[in-house]
mmCIF file of all heavy atoms in Angstrom:
data_model
loop_
_atom_site.group_PDB
_atom_site.id
_atom_site.type_symbol
_atom_site.label_atom_id
_atom_site.label_comp_id
_atom_site.label_asym_id
_atom_site.label_seq_id
_atom_site.Cartn_x
_atom_site.Cartn_y
_atom_site.Cartn_z
ATOM 1 N N SER A 144 -104.879 10.884 62.629
ATOM 2 C CA SER A 144 -104.036 10.174 61.675
ATOM 3 C C SER A 144 -104.502 10.509 60.275
ATOM 4 O O SER A 144 -105.634 10.218 59.899
ATOM 5 C CB SER A 144 -104.102 8.654 61.913
ATOM 6 O OG SER A 144 -103.330 7.960 60.959
ATOM 7 N N LEU A 145 -103.647 11.175 59.507
ATOM 8 C CA LEU A 145 -103.999 11.560 58.156
ATOM 9 C C LEU A 145 -104.042 10.358 57.230
ATOM 10 O O LEU A 145 -104.870 10.276 56.332
ATOM 11 C CB LEU A 145 -103.002 12.589 57.636
ATOM 12 C CG LEU A 145 -103.213 13.121 56.223
ATOM 13 C CD1 LEU A 145 -104.567 13.815 56.129
ATOM 14 C CD2 LEU A 145 -102.101 14.067 55.827
ATOM 15 N N PHE A 146 -103.188 9.392 57.488
ATOM 16 C CA PHE A 146 -103.125 8.219 56.624
ATOM 17 C C PHE A 146 -103.369 6.977 57.457
ATOM 18 O O PHE A 146 -102.749 6.786 58.499
ATOM 19 C CB PHE A 146 -101.754 8.112 55.934
ATOM 20 C CG PHE A 146 -101.462 9.270 55.044
ATOM 21 C CD1 PHE A 146 -100.771 10.366 55.531
ATOM 22 C CD2 PHE A 146 -101.893 9.284 53.745
ATOM 23 C CE1 PHE A 146 -100.499 11.446 54.724
ATOM 24 C CE2 PHE A 146 -101.625 10.361 52.925
ATOM 25 C CZ PHE A 146 -100.925 11.439 53.409
ATOM 26 N N ASP A 147 -104.263 6.135 57.001
ATOM 27 C CA ASP A 147 -104.644 4.947 57.738
ATOM 28 C C ASP A 147 -103.760 3.794 57.314
ATOM 29 O O ASP A 147 -103.721 3.419 56.134
ATOM 30 C CB ASP A 147 -106.112 4.608 57.455
ATOM 31 C CG ASP A 147 -106.593 3.430 58.280
ATOM 32 O OD1 ASP A 147 -105.872 3.026 59.205
ATOM 33 O OD2 ASP A 147 -107.698 2.933 57.990
ATOM 34 N N LEU A 148 -103.029 3.220 58.263
ATOM 35 C CA LEU A 148 -102.171 2.072 57.980
ATOM 36 C C LEU A 148 -102.851 0.764 58.362
ATOM 37 O O LEU A 148 -102.204 -0.240 58.601
ATOM 38 C CB LEU A 148 -100.851 2.202 58.757
ATOM 39 C CG LEU A 148 -99.994 3.410 58.402
ATOM 40 C CD1 LEU A 148 -98.700 3.375 59.203
ATOM 41 C CD2 LEU A 148 -99.700 3.466 56.926
ATOM 42 N N SER A 149 -104.185 0.759 58.427
ATOM 43 C CA SER A 149 -104.888 -0.431 58.888
ATOM 44 C C SER A 149 -104.817 -1.588 57.901
ATOM 45 O O SER A 149 -105.162 -2.708 58.242
ATOM 46 C CB SER A 149 -106.361 -0.087 59.161
ATOM 47 O OG SER A 149 -106.984 0.392 57.981
ATOM 48 N N ASN A 150 -104.367 -1.312 56.675
ATOM 49 C CA ASN A 150 -104.259 -2.403 55.719
ATOM 50 C C ASN A 150 -102.859 -2.981 55.665
ATOM 51 O O ASN A 150 -102.516 -3.701 54.750
ATOM 52 C CB ASN A 150 -104.663 -1.923 54.316
ATOM 53 C CG ASN A 150 -103.822 -0.753 53.866
ATOM 54 O OD1 ASN A 150 -103.113 -0.152 54.664
ATOM 55 N ND2 ASN A 150 -103.896 -0.429 52.588
ATOM 56 N N VAL A 151 -102.018 -2.665 56.650
ATOM 57 C CA VAL A 151 -100.681 -3.227 56.718
ATOM 58 C C VAL A 151 -100.766 -4.542 57.483
ATOM 59 O O VAL A 151 -101.148 -4.560 58.643
ATOM 60 C CB VAL A 151 -99.710 -2.261 57.409
ATOM 61 C CG1 VAL A 151 -98.315 -2.836 57.446
ATOM 62 C CG2 VAL A 151 -99.711 -0.936 56.660
ATOM 63 N N GLY A 152 -100.409 -5.644 56.851
ATOM 64 C CA GLY A 152 -100.699 -6.961 57.407
ATOM 65 C C GLY A 152 -99.797 -7.374 58.543
ATOM 66 O O GLY A 152 -98.706 -6.870 58.732
ATOM 67 N N ALA A 164 -102.959 -4.614 62.029
ATOM 68 C CA ALA A 164 -102.841 -3.701 63.157
ATOM 69 C C ALA A 164 -103.364 -2.337 62.741
ATOM 70 O O ALA A 164 -102.935 -1.793 61.727
ATOM 71 C CB ALA A 164 -101.388 -3.578 63.586
ATOM 72 N N SER A 166 -103.815 1.757 62.658
ATOM 73 C CA SER A 166 -102.761 2.763 62.678
ATOM 74 C C SER A 166 -102.521 3.324 64.067
ATOM 75 O O SER A 166 -101.455 3.866 64.347
ATOM 76 C CB SER A 166 -103.121 3.907 61.720
ATOM 77 O OG SER A 166 -104.359 4.475 62.103
ATOM 78 N N VAL A 190 -90.365 0.193 59.408
ATOM 79 C CA VAL A 190 -89.321 0.654 58.495
ATOM 80 C C VAL A 190 -89.836 1.940 57.855
ATOM 81 O O VAL A 190 -90.786 1.914 57.059
ATOM 82 C CB VAL A 190 -88.996 -0.405 57.428
ATOM 83 C CG1 VAL A 190 -87.884 0.100 56.507
ATOM 84 C CG2 VAL A 190 -88.589 -1.717 58.076
ATOM 85 N N VAL A 191 -89.231 3.064 58.214
ATOM 86 C CA VAL A 191 -89.706 4.383 57.793
ATOM 87 C C VAL A 191 -88.641 5.037 56.920
ATOM 88 O O VAL A 191 -87.469 5.112 57.310
ATOM 89 C CB VAL A 191 -90.014 5.282 59.009
ATOM 90 C CG1 VAL A 191 -90.543 6.629 58.553
ATOM 91 C CG2 VAL A 191 -91.010 4.600 59.943
ATOM 92 N N GLU A 192 -89.037 5.498 55.745
ATOM 93 C CA GLU A 192 -88.115 6.174 54.837
ATOM 94 C C GLU A 192 -88.644 7.549 54.468
ATOM 95 O O GLU A 192 -89.844 7.723 54.227
ATOM 96 C CB GLU A 192 -87.891 5.340 53.573
ATOM 97 C CG GLU A 192 -87.153 4.035 53.842
ATOM 98 C CD GLU A 192 -86.747 3.300 52.588
ATOM 99 O OE1 GLU A 192 -87.191 3.691 51.489
ATOM 100 O OE2 GLU A 192 -85.979 2.328 52.702
ATOM 101 N N PRO A 294 -92.228 7.628 43.086
ATOM 102 C CA PRO A 294 -93.608 7.173 43.283
ATOM 103 C C PRO A 294 -94.648 8.014 42.565
ATOM 104 O O PRO A 294 -95.734 7.511 42.248
ATOM 105 C CB PRO A 294 -93.787 7.252 44.805
ATOM 106 C CG PRO A 294 -92.741 8.201 45.279
ATOM 107 C CD PRO A 294 -91.593 8.049 44.352
ATOM 108 N N PHE A 295 -94.350 9.288 42.298
ATOM 109 C CA PHE A 295 -95.303 10.159 41.614
ATOM 110 C C PHE A 295 -94.597 10.901 40.482
ATOM 111 O O PHE A 295 -93.476 11.352 40.633
ATOM 112 C CB PHE A 295 -95.914 11.186 42.585
ATOM 113 C CG PHE A 295 -96.806 10.589 43.625
ATOM 114 C CD1 PHE A 295 -96.320 10.325 44.893
ATOM 115 C CD2 PHE A 295 -98.126 10.277 43.337
ATOM 116 C CE1 PHE A 295 -97.137 9.763 45.862
ATOM 117 C CE2 PHE A 295 -98.956 9.714 44.298
ATOM 118 C CZ PHE A 295 -98.458 9.463 45.566
ATOM 119 N N PRO A 340 -107.305 12.838 49.110
ATOM 120 C CA PRO A 340 -107.332 11.971 50.297
ATOM 121 C C PRO A 340 -106.783 10.571 50.055
ATOM 122 O O PRO A 340 -106.105 10.011 50.910
ATOM 123 C CB PRO A 340 -108.818 11.937 50.679
ATOM 124 C CG PRO A 340 -109.551 12.313 49.436
ATOM 125 C CD PRO A 340 -108.661 13.247 48.689
ATOM 126 N N ARG A 341 -107.068 10.002 48.894
ATOM 127 C CA ARG A 341 -106.564 8.659 48.565
ATOM 128 C C ARG A 341 -106.132 8.639 47.105
ATOM 129 O O ARG A 341 -106.796 9.205 46.239
ATOM 130 C CB ARG A 341 -107.623 7.578 48.815
ATOM 131 C CG ARG A 341 -108.037 7.442 50.271
ATOM 132 C CD ARG A 341 -108.983 6.267 50.469
ATOM 133 N NE ARG A 341 -108.320 5.006 50.168
ATOM 134 C CZ ARG A 341 -107.601 4.310 51.045
ATOM 135 N NH1 ARG A 341 -107.437 4.786 52.263
ATOM 136 N NH2 ARG A 341 -107.041 3.179 50.715
ATOM 137 N N PHE A 342 -104.996 7.933 46.866
ATOM 138 C CA PHE A 342 -104.448 7.870 45.510
ATOM 139 C C PHE A 342 -104.075 6.419 45.234
ATOM 140 O O PHE A 342 -102.972 5.989 45.578
ATOM 141 C CB PHE A 342 -103.225 8.768 45.390
ATOM 142 C CG PHE A 342 -102.956 9.247 43.989
ATOM 143 C CD1 PHE A 342 -102.465 10.515 43.761
ATOM 144 C CD2 PHE A 342 -103.191 8.417 42.900
ATOM 145 C CE1 PHE A 342 -102.202 10.970 42.474
ATOM 146 C CE2 PHE A 342 -102.942 8.847 41.619
ATOM 147 C CZ PHE A 342 -102.452 10.133 41.399
ATOM 148 N N PRO A 343 -104.959 5.621 44.610
ATOM 149 C CA PRO A 343 -104.641 4.199 44.363
ATOM 150 C C PRO A 343 -103.452 4.060 43.425
ATOM 151 O O PRO A 343 -103.210 4.905 42.563
ATOM 152 C CB PRO A 343 -105.931 3.659 43.720
ATOM 153 C CG PRO A 343 -106.995 4.657 44.072
ATOM 154 C CD PRO A 343 -106.308 5.981 44.168
ATOM 155 N N GLY A 344 -102.705 2.978 43.603
ATOM 156 C CA GLY A 344 -101.560 2.724 42.751
ATOM 157 C C GLY A 344 -101.958 2.558 41.299
ATOM 158 O O GLY A 344 -102.971 1.926 40.974
ATOM 159 N N PHE A 374 -96.746 13.629 50.825
ATOM 160 C CA PHE A 374 -97.504 12.381 50.788
ATOM 161 C C PHE A 374 -96.918 11.375 51.764
ATOM 162 O O PHE A 374 -95.813 11.563 52.301
ATOM 163 C CB PHE A 374 -97.498 11.784 49.373
ATOM 164 C CG PHE A 374 -96.127 11.548 48.810
ATOM 165 C CD1 PHE A 374 -95.406 10.398 49.120
ATOM 166 C CD2 PHE A 374 -95.529 12.484 47.975
ATOM 167 C CE1 PHE A 374 -94.139 10.191 48.607
ATOM 168 C CE2 PHE A 374 -94.269 12.281 47.459
ATOM 169 C CZ PHE A 374 -93.567 11.131 47.774
ATOM 170 N N GLU A 375 -97.661 10.301 51.979
ATOM 171 C CA GLU A 375 -97.207 9.177 52.790
ATOM 172 C C GLU A 375 -97.729 7.903 52.159
ATOM 173 O O GLU A 375 -98.932 7.783 51.878
ATOM 174 C CB GLU A 375 -97.709 9.319 54.224
ATOM 175 C CG GLU A 375 -97.128 8.270 55.168
ATOM 176 C CD GLU A 375 -97.347 8.649 56.633
ATOM 177 O OE1 GLU A 375 -96.937 9.764 57.007
ATOM 178 O OE2 GLU A 375 -97.935 7.854 57.363
ATOM 179 N N LEU A 376 -96.823 6.955 51.918
ATOM 180 C CA LEU A 376 -97.163 5.708 51.237
ATOM 181 C C LEU A 376 -96.968 4.527 52.182
ATOM 182 O O LEU A 376 -95.841 4.240 52.581
ATOM 183 C CB LEU A 376 -96.280 5.516 50.005
ATOM 184 C CG LEU A 376 -96.326 6.608 48.934
ATOM 185 C CD1 LEU A 376 -95.304 6.313 47.851
ATOM 186 C CD2 LEU A 376 -97.710 6.709 48.344
ATOM 187 N N PRO A 377 -98.036 3.823 52.557
ATOM 188 C CA PRO A 377 -97.871 2.617 53.377
ATOM 189 C C PRO A 377 -97.430 1.434 52.522
ATOM 190 O O PRO A 377 -97.613 1.413 51.307
ATOM 191 C CB PRO A 377 -99.261 2.396 53.964
ATOM 192 C CG PRO A 377 -100.190 2.989 52.958
ATOM 193 C CD PRO A 377 -99.456 4.151 52.332
ATOM 194 N N LYS A 378 -96.828 0.473 53.172
ATOM 195 C CA LYS A 378 -96.429 -0.798 52.549
ATOM 196 C C LYS A 378 -95.400 -0.630 51.442
ATOM 197 O O LYS A 378 -95.372 -1.406 50.496
ATOM 198 C CB LYS A 378 -97.656 -1.559 52.019
ATOM 199 C CG LYS A 378 -98.669 -1.913 53.075
ATOM 200 C CD LYS A 378 -99.708 -2.894 52.562
ATOM 201 C CE LYS A 378 -100.536 -2.316 51.465
ATOM 202 N NZ LYS A 378 -101.608 -3.236 51.024
ATOM 203 N N GLN A 379 -94.535 0.383 51.535
ATOM 204 C CA GLN A 379 -93.548 0.589 50.481
ATOM 205 C C GLN A 379 -92.278 1.215 51.036
ATOM 206 O O GLN A 379 -92.333 2.094 51.894
ATOM 207 C CB GLN A 379 -94.117 1.488 49.390
ATOM 208 C CG GLN A 379 -93.122 1.791 48.273
ATOM 209 C CD GLN A 379 -93.738 2.562 47.126
ATOM 210 O OE1 GLN A 379 -94.939 2.481 46.891
ATOM 211 N NE2 GLN A 379 -92.916 3.320 46.426
ATOM 212 N N THR A 380 -91.125 0.737 50.539
ATOM 213 C CA THR A 380 -89.836 1.369 50.784
ATOM 214 C C THR A 380 -89.152 1.595 49.445
ATOM 215 O O THR A 380 -89.194 0.731 48.574
ATOM 216 C CB THR A 380 -88.935 0.502 51.685
ATOM 217 O OG1 THR A 380 -88.714 -0.782 51.065
ATOM 218 C CG2 THR A 380 -89.561 0.310 53.057
ATOM 219 N N CYS A 381 -88.524 2.743 49.286
ATOM 220 C CA CYS A 381 -87.861 3.055 48.022
ATOM 221 C C CYS A 381 -86.552 2.298 47.854
ATOM 222 O O CYS A 381 -86.134 2.012 46.738
ATOM 223 C CB CYS A 381 -87.616 4.561 47.937
ATOM 224 S SG CYS A 381 -89.127 5.534 47.735
ATOM 225 N N GLN A 385 -86.288 -4.845 53.393
ATOM 226 C CA GLN A 385 -87.379 -5.661 53.907
ATOM 227 C C GLN A 385 -86.933 -6.407 55.164
ATOM 228 O O GLN A 385 -85.742 -6.655 55.367
ATOM 229 C CB GLN A 385 -87.841 -6.683 52.862
ATOM 230 C CG GLN A 385 -88.374 -6.077 51.577
ATOM 231 C CD GLN A 385 -89.761 -5.492 51.741
ATOM 232 O OE1 GLN A 385 -90.621 -6.081 52.402
ATOM 233 N NE2 GLN A 385 -89.987 -4.332 51.145
ATOM 234 N N VAL A 403 -94.964 -5.884 61.565
ATOM 235 C CA VAL A 403 -93.953 -5.201 60.752
ATOM 236 C C VAL A 403 -94.679 -4.300 59.765
ATOM 237 O O VAL A 403 -95.586 -4.756 59.054
ATOM 238 C CB VAL A 403 -93.047 -6.196 59.995
ATOM 239 C CG1 VAL A 403 -92.109 -5.457 59.058
ATOM 240 C CG2 VAL A 403 -92.253 -7.039 60.975
ATOM 241 N N ARG A 404 -94.310 -3.028 59.739
ATOM 242 C CA ARG A 404 -94.971 -2.075 58.862
ATOM 243 C C ARG A 404 -93.921 -1.280 58.085
ATOM 244 O O ARG A 404 -92.831 -1.026 58.586
ATOM 245 C CB ARG A 404 -95.870 -1.132 59.669
ATOM 246 C CG ARG A 404 -96.881 -1.865 60.535
ATOM 247 C CD ARG A 404 -97.827 -0.911 61.245
ATOM 248 N NE ARG A 404 -97.151 -0.044 62.192
ATOM 249 C CZ ARG A 404 -97.778 0.823 62.977
ATOM 250 N NH1 ARG A 404 -99.080 0.944 62.901
ATOM 251 N NH2 ARG A 404 -97.115 1.577 63.817
ATOM 252 N N TYR A 405 -94.281 -0.902 56.864
ATOM 253 C CA TYR A 405 -93.396 -0.115 56.005
ATOM 254 C C TYR A 405 -94.119 1.170 55.608
ATOM 255 O O TYR A 405 -95.321 1.154 55.318
ATOM 256 C CB TYR A 405 -93.032 -0.889 54.735
ATOM 257 C CG TYR A 405 -92.394 -2.229 54.987
ATOM 258 C CD1 TYR A 405 -93.171 -3.386 55.062
ATOM 259 C CD2 TYR A 405 -91.018 -2.355 55.155
ATOM 260 C CE1 TYR A 405 -92.596 -4.623 55.297
ATOM 261 C CE2 TYR A 405 -90.428 -3.588 55.388
ATOM 262 C CZ TYR A 405 -91.226 -4.716 55.459
ATOM 263 O OH TYR A 405 -90.654 -5.940 55.689
ATOM 264 N N VAL A 406 -93.390 2.266 55.583
ATOM 265 C CA VAL A 406 -93.996 3.530 55.176
ATOM 266 C C VAL A 406 -92.915 4.441 54.586
ATOM 267 O O VAL A 406 -91.780 4.480 55.070
ATOM 268 C CB VAL A 406 -94.707 4.219 56.366
ATOM 269 C CG1 VAL A 406 -93.727 4.580 57.460
ATOM 270 C CG2 VAL A 406 -95.467 5.458 55.916
ATOM 271 N N THR A 407 -93.272 5.109 53.495
ATOM 272 C CA THR A 407 -92.403 6.109 52.859
ATOM 273 C C THR A 407 -93.161 7.426 52.812
ATOM 274 O O THR A 407 -94.320 7.451 52.395
ATOM 275 C CB THR A 407 -92.028 5.676 51.429
ATOM 276 O OG1 THR A 407 -91.270 4.472 51.486
ATOM 277 C CG2 THR A 407 -91.196 6.755 50.743
ATOM 278 N N HIS A 408 -92.535 8.496 53.254
ATOM 279 C CA HIS A 408 -93.192 9.799 53.154
ATOM 280 C C HIS A 408 -92.220 10.830 52.598
ATOM 281 O O HIS A 408 -91.000 10.647 52.618
ATOM 282 C CB HIS A 408 -93.786 10.248 54.495
ATOM 283 C CG HIS A 408 -92.780 10.508 55.563
ATOM 284 N ND1 HIS A 408 -92.056 11.667 55.645
ATOM 285 C CD2 HIS A 408 -92.370 9.746 56.621
ATOM 286 C CE1 HIS A 408 -91.265 11.627 56.696
ATOM 287 N NE2 HIS A 408 -91.424 10.470 57.295
ATOM 288 N N SER A 409 -92.783 11.891 52.089
ATOM 289 C CA SER A 409 -91.992 12.927 51.419
ATOM 290 C C SER A 409 -91.350 13.837 52.453
ATOM 291 O O SER A 409 -92.013 14.342 53.345
ATOM 292 C CB SER A 409 -92.885 13.741 50.490
ATOM 293 O OG SER A 409 -93.945 14.321 51.226
#
Side-chain angles (χ1 to χ4, degrees):
S144 178
L145 180 61
F146 298 93
D147 184 11
L148 298 182
S149 60
N150 57 347
V151 181
S166 58
V190 181
V191 182
E192 293 188 350
F295 292 98
R341 296 186 64 86
F342 205 144
F374 56 83
E375 187 165 305
L376 302 175
K378 300 192 296 184
Q379 178 174 334
T380 59
C381 290
Q385 299 285 319
V403 174
R404 305 184 296 184
Y405 303 92
V406 63
T407 297
H408 65 80
S409 58

